[in-house]
Amino acid sequence: MTILLTGFTGNVGFEVARQLAPNRVLALVRDMRQAPRLDGVTLVKGSLECLPADIQGDVEAIVHCAASVEFKRPLDELRRTNVDGVSALLDFARGCPRLRRFIHASTICVCGDRTGIIPEAPLAEAPHFVNPYEQSKWEAERLVLGAGLPVEIVRLAIVAGSERDGSVRRPGALHHALYWLYKGLIPMIPGAANSRVDLVSTEFAAGVIAATLRTAPEPGRIVHASAGSASPKLGELLDFLAGWFSQHHRGWASGAVSRPDIVDRETFALFEKSVIQSGDILFRRVCDDAQSFLPILLYPRTMTTSLAKSVPVADWRALAGRVAEWLIQTDWNRKPINTPLHEAA
């Protein structure tokens, strides 16, 4: 099968391409010189704003992984990629005479503030969204499901990094929060102790997308690439990270830095207000980063999984430890991987 893949240079796209072998993969990239190389993958110059019409006759499937995941951007900016970009790709797909599949990578965050058991089903009515990113992805899902094409949606959980070596191609909101936590600059986290932090590896997320493509098409199907009930609860994850950090940071080891408290929305809002009043620029930045991601943890939920059960889920402790080590070794992707594991001052 000839597959057009978007998002090849992102956190999940490269691994998706690797797992789609031996299919012929056409990877859409803006800059051919900067894109990585992979056997079996042909780089195609283009973007969601400028799709290459000359390949439409070859494309039998489209796997759409490209998205803007900058939680703090204004909604109108996020829509340009996450909604308008999807609309352009759907128009492109309608011009592909051999198209059999269109798989859209979405996010479990489209659930907004919904709690409890979340089924693998469309969200016909918009929930209350925690950030503009969630809304843009929900709007994209509505476009995809109404496109009249053989579409399927894979909602990805929080992609932490590689289960093999902990590597992260592009650190995102989760990794920024881990940075401030490691530095001891997050004294409290808004959430519920029993909220599940649905962490999955890059390999798992890509594996569910690839598995979806290997099964018989079911237009309109929604699949959760989620660890489900195997996800750690927030309290468990914080305890694990506190123990792990204490092995690599003098402040954590001595007790000068300790695990943040889990607080309700009102308490965290009071903390934010005090930070604003203090005029502390660093803590304001910490709060801004935290506000873009951590409030998700106020809404305990478990995603149902069906197809994901056919893909092995990495143990969350092993995954979290490898990702934390990689982040520290590379100073959050700012240094080469061969930099010795450093100890913070």
Side-chain angles (χ1 to χ4, degrees):
M1 188 184 301
T2 298
I3 303 167
L4 175 64
L5 171 67
T6 70
F8 177 63
T9 59
N11 279 333
V12 177
F14 184 85
E15 181 63 22
V16 169
R18 194 184 69 81
Q19 294 200 28
L20 287 179
N23 294 290
R24 180 190 177 208
V25 176
L26 307 177
L28 187 71
V29 296
R30 289 180 183 274
D31 189 339
M32 305 278 280
R33 297 167 299 176
Q34 298 296 320
R37 267 37 179 193
L38 185 65
D39 289 344
V41 173
T42 301
L43 301 181
V44 176
K45 184 173 177 56
S47 66
L48 296 177
E49 300 84 17
C50 186
L51 291 157
D54 59 322
I55 64 170
Q56 283 179 294
D58 297 328
V59 173
E60 297 168 84
I62 294 173
V63 178
H64 180 44
C65 293
S68 173
V69 295
E70 297 183 66
F71 289 10
K72 294 186 292 182
R73 282 193 175 278
L75 180 58
D76 60 343
E77 292 184 20
L78 287 164
R79 280 177 172 151
R80 289 171 197 161
T81 298
N82 296 348
V83 182
D84 297 344
V86 169
S87 180
L89 190 60
L90 291 170
D91 286 343
F92 174 90
R94 293 185 183 96
C96 297
R98 302 174 64 196
L99 186 76
R100 291 185 278 157
R101 311 287 291 271
F102 186 112
I103 296 178
H104 172 69
S106 187
T107 170
I108 63 172
C109 293
V110 294
C111 300
D113 64 354
R114 294 195 180 187
T115 60
I117 305 298
I118 307 297
E120 294 175 307
L123 296 165
E125 298 197 7
H128 175 266
F129 297 109
V130 176
N131 55 54
Y133 166 74
E134 296 181 347
Q135 181 171 344
S136 72
K137 293 296 285 184
W138 177 83
E139 291 176 4
E141 281 199 10
R142 303 306 301 158
L143 265 182
V144 169
L145 291 171
L149 292 167
V151 298
E152 293 161 282
I153 293 173
V154 179
R155 290 179 182 151
L156 306 182
I158 303 167
V159 181
S162 170
E163 63 188 65
R164 292 191 297 268
D165 58 14
S167 60
V168 180
R169 296 186 69 85
R170 292 183 181 177
L174 166 68
H175 310 103
H176 296 317
L178 285 174
Y179 177 80
W180 298 124
L181 179 63
Y182 180 66
K183 296 293 185 181
L185 294 173
I186 299 183
M188 60 185 71
I189 287 179
N194 65 337
S195 286
R196 293 196 178 275
V197 187
D198 203 338
L199 301 176
V200 298
S201 70
T202 309
E203 292 84 355
F204 176 83
V208 174
I209 292 173
T212 302
L213 197 61
R214 287 194 293 268
T215 61
E218 295 181 35
R221 172 170 60 170
I222 294 176
V223 174
H224 288 159
S226 160
S229 58
S231 306
K233 294 179 179 178
L234 176 57
E236 291 178 315
L237 179 61
L238 289 176
D239 285 340
F240 172 81
L241 289 172
W244 202 95
F245 289 160
S246 67
Q247 301 174 41
H248 304 283
H249 188 297
R250 286 194 295 270
W252 283 90
S254 68
V257 179
S258 59
R259 199 200 89 162
D261 294 326
I262 300 172
V263 301
D264 58 25
R265 180 196 301 276
E266 292 74 21
T267 302
F268 192 75
L270 288 173
F271 168 67
E272 284 188 301
K273 184 178 179 180
S274 68
V275 168
I276 293 171
Q277 291 174 341
S278 73
D280 189 304
I281 296 174
L282 176 59
F283 266 101
R284 182 65 182 270
R285 183 180 170 194
V286 172
C287 281
D288 286 346
D289 280 350
Q291 191 61 265
S292 71
F293 173 71
L294 296 180
I296 295 169
L297 303 173
L298 287 163
Y299 309 104
R301 60 185 174 225
T302 302
M303 314 303 292
T304 59
T305 58
S306 54
L307 192 58
K309 294 175 182 177
S310 65
V311 183
V313 180
D315 175 77
W316 68 264
R317 292 174 182 82
L319 176 61
R322 288 192 183 104
V323 171
E325 182 169 11
W326 187 89
L327 290 170
I328 294 170
Q329 284 181 332
T330 64
D331 192 19
W332 272 255
N333 205 27
R334 289 189 285 263
K335 294 181 180 179
I337 190 61
N338 59 359
T339 302
L341 187 64
H342 72 274
E343 185 178 71

